[in-house]
Amino acid sequence: MDGLDALKQGYLNRIAEAGDEAALEEIRLAALGKKGEISLKMRELGRMSPEERTAAGKVLNALKDEIDAALRAKKSALADAALDARLATEWLDVTLPGRPRRQGTIHPVSQVTEEVTAIFADMGFAVAEGPQIESDWMNFDALNIPPEHPARQEHDTFFMARAEGDNRPPHVLRTHTSPVQIRAMMAAGAPIRVIAPGRVYRMDMDQTHAPMFHQVEGLAIDRDISMAQLKWVLEEFCRAFFEVDEVELRFRASHFPFTDPSAEVALRCSWEGGQLKIGEGNSWMEILGSGMVHPKVLAAGGIDPAEWQGFAFGMGIDRLAMLKYGIPDLRAFFDSDLRWLRHYGFSALDVPSVAGGLSK
Ligand code: PHE
């Protein structure tokens, strides 16, 4: 068994130089594989005398173990190095601030909701809430819209499924924020001043209608409330919201089952040169419905109509956002298109306030 030392050293050198697992495997096969150099030498043991065999067997086994150990050690060293390299390239400092280029923006609907809330908060209105899945009674009956009333058809209602055999009227996706009037009255009684912004649903879809959209409800109840206060509040709101000194509102008789008298309100504006200007020009833009709360609605909310009276209004938040920020298509509001969101979105750091500025 001559030359074993040279053979061993040769393999150990090759192992030390191997750059990856494939190279290591090649070396292992060359040395210890079925037809490997050391395996072949092992086979020669059979032709030796017993004494020779004992001595040579020992040496060969030791050699085999040594090469084997060197292969394993190198293999795990290669794996460690590969992991280190990966960790080095995939390293991430989670304490770094976000990259401005990737910062999210506030959706125009959220922005306008904040603006509207800030303006009415400044006038003493609290925010009330109600569920989007509403009972038939809250959405209709309590608002003086009994089952056979034609207004029910106009609302293009989405109905929730009922369990088989359950004959109660199905719940609905609320078709307006007006049921929050009832909830707020029941919860707080009179006097009360609240607005209720939120999502509403109707089966409708075109450039200016989406099946889900946003309204803000207003409700003020006290002992001596009249249409005059309604008018003042709405004018004050429009001046603040559109950030102009003068606005002109047009009140026209209308009909809602839950208000009497009722008025639809439009805003004087001009579209000259395709540019919308509020407060001047010869066009009128309808922005909301309103009126004096119907006595039956007060009663449904647990408030005595002989003692209290109030006004209510409801306007479309999406519509307000389109007007103020010149957004032509309502459907784009709900597409989640990042380019649109970056273009029309607002900085998360500019919180609207009446004193600090609404949209700056
Ligand atoms: N709920 C009405 C609608 O959705 C708006 C409205 C609210 C009208 C309150 C009058 C008073 O069209």
Side-chain angles (χ1 to χ4, degrees):
M1 288 274 140
D2 297 326
L4 283 187
D5 274 344
L7 182 132
K8 178 172 98 179
Q9 206 46 57
Y11 277 114
L12 290 182
N13 288 346
R14 279 177 67 186
I15 290 170
E17 277 157 25
D20 56 30
E21 277 200 39
L24 270 186
E25 179 61 9
E26 220 169 89
I27 299 168
R28 192 189 67 79
L29 287 172
L32 309 174
K34 246 193 200 150
K35 291 189 176 142
E37 218 170 341
I38 296 174
S39 308
L40 291 177
K41 288 205 183 298
M42 293 273 212
R43 240 177 266 165
E44 288 174 23
L45 292 173
R47 282 182 265 131
M48 295 179 181
S49 68
E51 298 81 47
E52 279 176 329
R53 190 184 305 147
T54 315
K58 238 184 176 171
V59 176
L60 279 176
N61 269 324
L63 173 62
K64 182 181 159 222
D65 288 347
E66 201 171 335
I67 302 264
D68 197 45
L71 283 166
R72 280 171 203 280
K74 180 69 181 184
K75 190 170 171 180
S76 95
L78 281 176
D80 284 352
L83 183 61
D84 283 347
R86 217 177 119 196
L87 286 175
T89 57
E90 293 179 8
W91 183 83
L92 185 70
D93 184 352
V94 294
T95 66
L96 284 175
R99 287 179 213 169
R101 202 165 56 81
R102 301 240 178 109
Q103 237 163 37
T105 56
I106 301 296
H107 194 284
V109 169
S110 305
Q111 168 76 16
V112 165
T113 303
E114 289 298 321
E115 293 179 20
V116 169
T117 304
I119 295 167
F120 282 108
D122 202 49
M123 293 194 264
F125 286 74
V127 171
E129 283 180 325
Q132 294 174 44
I133 297 174
E134 189 55 281
S135 72
D136 182 81
W137 186 84
M138 284 280 184
N139 195 80
F140 294 120
D141 298 72
L143 291 162
N144 195 29
I145 313 175
E148 301 313 321
H149 198 286
R152 288 207 178 204
Q153 269 72 58
E154 285 159 27
H155 277 215
D156 303 313
T157 311
F158 286 108
F159 294 94
M160 305 300 291
R162 267 255 174 260
E164 209 165 316
D166 188 341
N167 293 320
R168 290 173 299 172
H171 277 54
V172 300
L173 291 179
R174 68 178 179 194
T175 58
H176 48 180
T177 43
S178 298
V180 187
Q181 288 187 34
I182 307 295
R183 291 182 175 274
M185 286 190 266
M186 285 177 150
I192 188 173
R193 262 186 279 175
V194 289
I195 58 161
R199 292 186 166 176
V200 300
Y201 302 82
R202 289 182 202 179
M203 258 181 275
D204 214 345
M205 184 73 171
D206 61 31
Q207 196 177 339
T208 51
H209 295 90
M212 184 278 293
F213 57 104
H214 301 80
Q215 287 189 335
V216 56
E217 195 78 9
L219 176 70
I221 294 173
D222 213 319
R223 294 181 194 279
D224 52 4
I225 296 240
S226 73
M227 292 287 274
Q229 274 114 353
L230 170 66
K231 186 161 185 277
W232 182 85
V233 163
L234 292 176
E235 277 170 359
E236 203 57 23
F237 166 75
C238 288
R239 243 195 302 277
F241 179 74
F242 289 107
E243 301 176 63
V244 292
D245 292 333
E246 278 315 314
V247 291
E248 191 182 335
L249 294 184
R250 183 186 70 185
F251 283 67
R252 287 214 295 206
S254 180
H255 178 78
F256 299 103
F258 31 90
T259 46
D260 191 24
S262 303
E264 58 178 45
V265 179
L267 186 64
R268 186 186 282 282
C269 64
S270 110
W271 286 104
E272 239 161 80
Q275 175 98 20
L276 174 70
K277 290 212 184 81
I278 307 287
E280 54 187 84
N282 294 313
S283 299
W284 294 94
M285 172 76 62
E286 212 193 292
I287 53 166
L288 62 94
S290 66
M292 298 302 292
V293 181
H294 196 289
K296 283 191 182 169
V297 174
L298 291 171
I303 290 179
D304 182 0
E307 204 179 329
W308 305 94
Q309 56 191 313
F311 66 72
F313 60 84
M315 50 189 164
I317 291 181
D318 320 82
R319 168 71 79 92
L320 288 177
M322 291 170 78
L323 284 176
K324 181 165 178 181
Y325 294 112
I327 305 170
D329 190 336
L330 175 69
R331 286 167 300 192
F333 275 59
F334 312 119
D335 281 348
S336 300
D337 181 331
L338 272 182
R339 291 162 304 174
W340 188 92
L341 290 168
R342 287 202 186 103
H343 182 73
Y344 286 110
F346 293 82
S347 162
L349 301 176
D350 295 336
V351 179
S353 81
V354 173
L358 290 173
S359 60
K360 276 111 197 166

